[in-house]
Every structure is written in C-alpha cells, then in structure tokens.
Amino acid sequence: MKVVTIKNTLRRFDKYRKSKMENLEIAFHKFIRNNSHCQSELLPVSKVKHILILRNNTRIGNILFLVPFVRQVREIFPDAHITLMLHNEFLGQIFNNLNIDEICYSRLSFKHSIQSFRLMRKLKRQTFDMIFSPYSSSEDAAICALIPAINKIGRESKTKNSAFSHTFEGPSGKKHAALTSLYLLPKAGFALFPVNHTIKLSAEELIAGKNEFNQIKSSEKTVHIAYFRGARGDKLLPESYWRKLIERAESEVIEKIEWIEILSPDIPVPLISNVNTFYSPNIRHLASFLTNVDAFICCDTGPLHLADAANVRCIGLYNKTDTITFGLLNKRSVCITDIDEFDVIPALGIGVSTEVPNIL
C-alpha cells in the first residue's frame, strides 16, 4: 500500500511540475520574443529572399528526417538565401550538395555557451523574411522568438505559440517523422513538390566508396551483405541474435554471402573474428561505401536511416519502434517487425532490380 501511495504522490508531483513549467515556458517566450518586424500576412514566394530553418537536435536519424523539408523549401524558394541552423558540424555534412547557402551551428550547451551567444547576437542583427521551425522543440521555439523575422512559422503548440507569428495544427493520425512537418508549407500557402528524402552524394564520394568497397570484397559473384549491431537502449539486440541471423541467412541463401560488419566507437570489435569490417567517422564516407553492398541489415538507428537516404537496400529490424513513424522510406528497403521469423531471401531482395527512383 505504501508503494502505491508513493507512486501516486510522485505522479501528482510530476503533473504539477509539468503544468508549472508550461506556464513558465509561455511567459519566457513572451519575455524574449522579438516581434517588431512580424506581419500578420504571409509573404508570397516572390517576396521571400532570406530564410532560416531551425533544427537543434543531436541524433543523426532525426536530422536525416529533416532532409525532405529542406529539399521542399529549396524547391519552393529557388532564389532565396537559405540558412540552416543545426546543433553541430558533424550533422551538417548530411546537407552537403543540397544547395543550402549557409549552415550555422548553435552548439547549445554550457560548454559552448559563449559561441552560442555570439551566434545569436549575429543572427539578431539581420531580419529574415521567414523562419521555419518544422519540429518546434523548446530550443527551436526560443531561438525563433529571439531572432527578428517577418514571418515565423511553426507547429501549433499550447506552450510555444507565442514564439511564432503563424502556427498551424498538424493532421490527425500517425505520420512518418520525416514527413510530418511538410504540412506547414501548404498551410502557409506553398504548393508541395514531389517528396525526396535522399541525401546527395557527389561523384567523387561515390568513387571513393566504390574504391573502399573493392579493397574489401573478394568476388563479383558473391552476395555482399553489411550489418551494424549498434542501437540505443532496448532496441539493441544481443550478439546471440546476430549469430543466429547470420547462420539462418547462410543456410537459406544459395549464393555465397560475404559479410561486412560496420564498426563504430561503441562496437570496435567484430562479432566474427574473420569477417570483413568497415569503419569511418565520416557519415558521408559510410553512406558512399554502403551504396555498393547488396543489402544492409540494422536496427532502427542512425546508420540505418543514413543508408536508406543513400538508396541502399536496407533490412530494418524493428523490435521496439513504430514503423509508421520511424520506418524506411526507400522503396528498396523493408521494415521487419517479426525479427525472428521473417523470410530471409525476400528481405535481402536477391534477384530484385536495383533500378528505383529517388523520388517517393
């Protein structure tokens, strides 16, 4: 009985804390907001010359999910100067070759507080025509409130509306995290173009990835399958699962399989002692390398969505997360929810054409 009482007390306290924090967040945005240039009317395309897109998040997968929105903004505003604000330089590589004019980095942390302050001071000296906050995190909302703009566009939110000049309620029902914010554009009066979630690898990057792959592979007639065992939290699968999966694939697939394990700082040692391995701290280098394999197997984590955005055939193992929200967008890829009993050969796509468009 005492345990139940304590839990109920903690739940009530947490509910109280959240309600008070909501009021503080609303008051904070009203206190810091710079709305001296804001207009109630939304600007037409011809009047929009300077755009800022905000996304302060540190996870690779979440930043990859921003690609469709950034591509749409560039299509809609071909002549505008687009500035993209991200958290750090590591994530900025994702947007190479996507015709973004400028990328700045907030580095929001106590350690980099001076650099963050200098960036905000610099951005406050100019007035943007439009600021988009497609995911409206607390950090993005606060930055949007601070920086002067004619139109500040974000999601409808009980606690963040005062940071924007225009907010729009999203559609009901589940939607993929990479597509969920696209509704903001037609709501603001802009027509959508065909959706494209892919990154753009240069010819030089693709050649470098091909050369790296050629140094590893042993035969043209072999099926080359890469896999990455890393994942966050309870998405992580045990070594025993990966061993059984490899054994099952080798027993069911007639062709000889040459395995390549993708390593990382968290997984520096391969599962199998004599297996080929590949590691690169550069995510574009990793993506370029993976474009050469026949399939890539991975749990729902950053490298999976990186490979999917590079048009690699991916087998995503979804033991915890929802495929509607975090599934694979590449039409060559498959999402596996029954991770123990799925059909290996159809999933690997052996004999399936690799000719697919980049557009969803």
Side-chain angles (χ1 to χ4, degrees), residues 274-294:
N274 62 344
V275 75
N276 291 322
T277 63
F278 179 79
Y279 167 71
S280 175
N282 185 303
I283 56 178
R284 297 186 69 83
H285 188 198
L286 173 59
S288 299
F289 175 84
L290 288 174
T291 59
N292 297 283
V293 302
D294 295 296

Side-chain angles (χ1 to χ4, degrees), residues 45-46 48 51 53 66-82 97-101 132 182 185 190-198 200 358-360:
V45 170
S46 60
V48 178
I51 297 170
I53 303 173
L66 180 64
V67 169
F69 189 90
V70 170
R71 279 184 170 275
Q72 287 290 324
V73 173
R74 173 45 78 202
E75 291 276 13
I76 294 168
F77 304 96
D79 301 321
H81 183 284
I82 298 177
N97 307 321
L98 292 186
N99 201 19
I100 302 304
D101 299 286
F132 288 106
L182 295 181
L185 298 168
F190 308 117
L192 288 180
F193 285 76
V195 177
N196 189 341
H197 79 292
T198 61
K200 188 174 181 181
N358 288 341
I359 304 298
L360 294 179

Side-chain angles (χ1 to χ4, degrees), residues 82-187:
I82 298 177
T83 301
L84 176 62
M85 181 189 286
L86 303 173
H87 185 273
N88 57 61
E89 289 86 345
F90 176 73
L91 299 168
Q93 345 169 22
I94 291 171
F95 299 92
N96 288 1
N97 307 321
L98 292 186
N99 201 19
I100 302 304
D101 299 286
E102 181 181 359
I103 303 179
C104 58
Y105 304 99
S106 65
R107 303 180 184 86
L108 292 176
S109 66
F110 179 77
K111 179 181 178 180
H112 298 104
S113 56
I114 294 176
Q115 293 167 293
S116 299
F117 175 77
R118 287 174 178 168
L119 175 63
M120 298 309 156
R121 186 172 61 181
K122 174 187 173 183
L123 293 175
K124 286 182 69 176
R125 294 195 188 113
Q126 58 185 305
T127 301
F128 289 91
D129 296 308
M130 279 189 177
I131 299 178
F132 288 106
S133 180
Y135 290 90
S136 298
S137 67
S138 296
E139 295 87 351
D140 292 346
I143 292 169
C144 188
L146 277 170
I147 298 174
I150 296 173
N151 294 158
K152 301 181 179 185
I153 300 171
R155 296 183 176 194
E156 177 77 22
S157 168
K158 179 181 177 182
T159 59
K160 301 175 180 65
N161 280 355
S162 56
F164 306 102
S165 64
H166 297 81
T167 59
F168 301 101
E169 186 175 353
S172 59
K174 287 185 178 181
K175 203 171 182 66
H176 196 283
L179 311 177
T180 185
S181 291
L182 295 181
Y183 81 92
L184 288 172
L185 298 168
K187 287 278 188 178

Side-chain angles (χ1 to χ4, degrees), residues 55 57 59-66 135 155 173-180 197 232 234-235 298-309 314-330 333-337:
R55 186 64 166 126
N57 191 282
R59 295 191 178 183
I60 296 174
N62 289 341
I63 299 304
L64 282 162
F65 292 160
L66 180 64
Y135 290 90
R155 296 183 176 194
K174 287 185 178 181
K175 203 171 182 66
H176 196 283
L179 311 177
T180 185
H197 79 292
R232 287 178 177 270
D234 56 2
K235 293 187 291 185
C298 185
C299 296
D300 175 23
T301 191
L304 177 71
H305 297 288
L306 174 68
D308 188 59
C314 299
I315 294 93
L317 303 175
Y318 286 80
N319 61 324
K320 294 294 180 182
T321 44
D322 179 16
T323 57
I324 296 176
T325 307
F326 302 108
L328 300 169
L329 295 170
N330 184 341
S333 299
V334 291
C335 300
I336 304 297
T337 54

Side-chain angles (χ1 to χ4, degrees), residues 178-310:
L179 311 177
T180 185
S181 291
L182 295 181
Y183 81 92
L184 288 172
L185 298 168
K187 287 278 188 178
F190 308 117
L192 288 180
F193 285 76
V195 177
N196 189 341
H197 79 292
T198 61
I199 60 175
K200 188 174 181 181
L201 298 168
S202 68
E204 292 79 8
E205 288 172 323
L206 291 170
I207 291 170
K210 182 70 172 178
N211 290 338
E212 196 84 38
F213 176 74
N214 286 339
Q215 293 176 22
I216 291 177
K217 72 172 185 177
S218 62
S219 172
E220 294 286 351
K221 297 180 180 180
T222 301
V223 175
H224 296 90
I225 303 175
Y227 62 94
F228 177 65
R229 293 181 287 128
R232 287 178 177 270
D234 56 2
K235 293 187 291 185
L236 184 69
L237 293 169
E239 288 187 5
S240 58
Y241 174 84
W242 288 98
R243 290 184 186 277
K244 289 178 182 177
L245 178 58
I246 290 170
E247 290 173 3
R248 189 153 68 94
E250 291 185 338
S251 67
E252 295 182 22
V253 176
I254 298 174
E255 294 89 341
K256 180 184 175 183
I257 299 176
E258 185 167 9
W259 298 94
I260 304 170
E261 178 161 6
I262 306 301
L263 301 179
S264 71
D266 295 331
I267 304 180
V269 180
L271 178 69
I272 304 169
S273 59
N274 62 344
V275 75
N276 291 322
T277 63
F278 179 79
Y279 167 71
S280 175
N282 185 303
I283 56 178
R284 297 186 69 83
H285 188 198
L286 173 59
S288 299
F289 175 84
L290 288 174
T291 59
N292 297 283
V293 302
D294 295 296
F296 176 55
I297 308 175
C298 185
C299 296
D300 175 23
T301 191
L304 177 71
H305 297 288
L306 174 68
D308 188 59

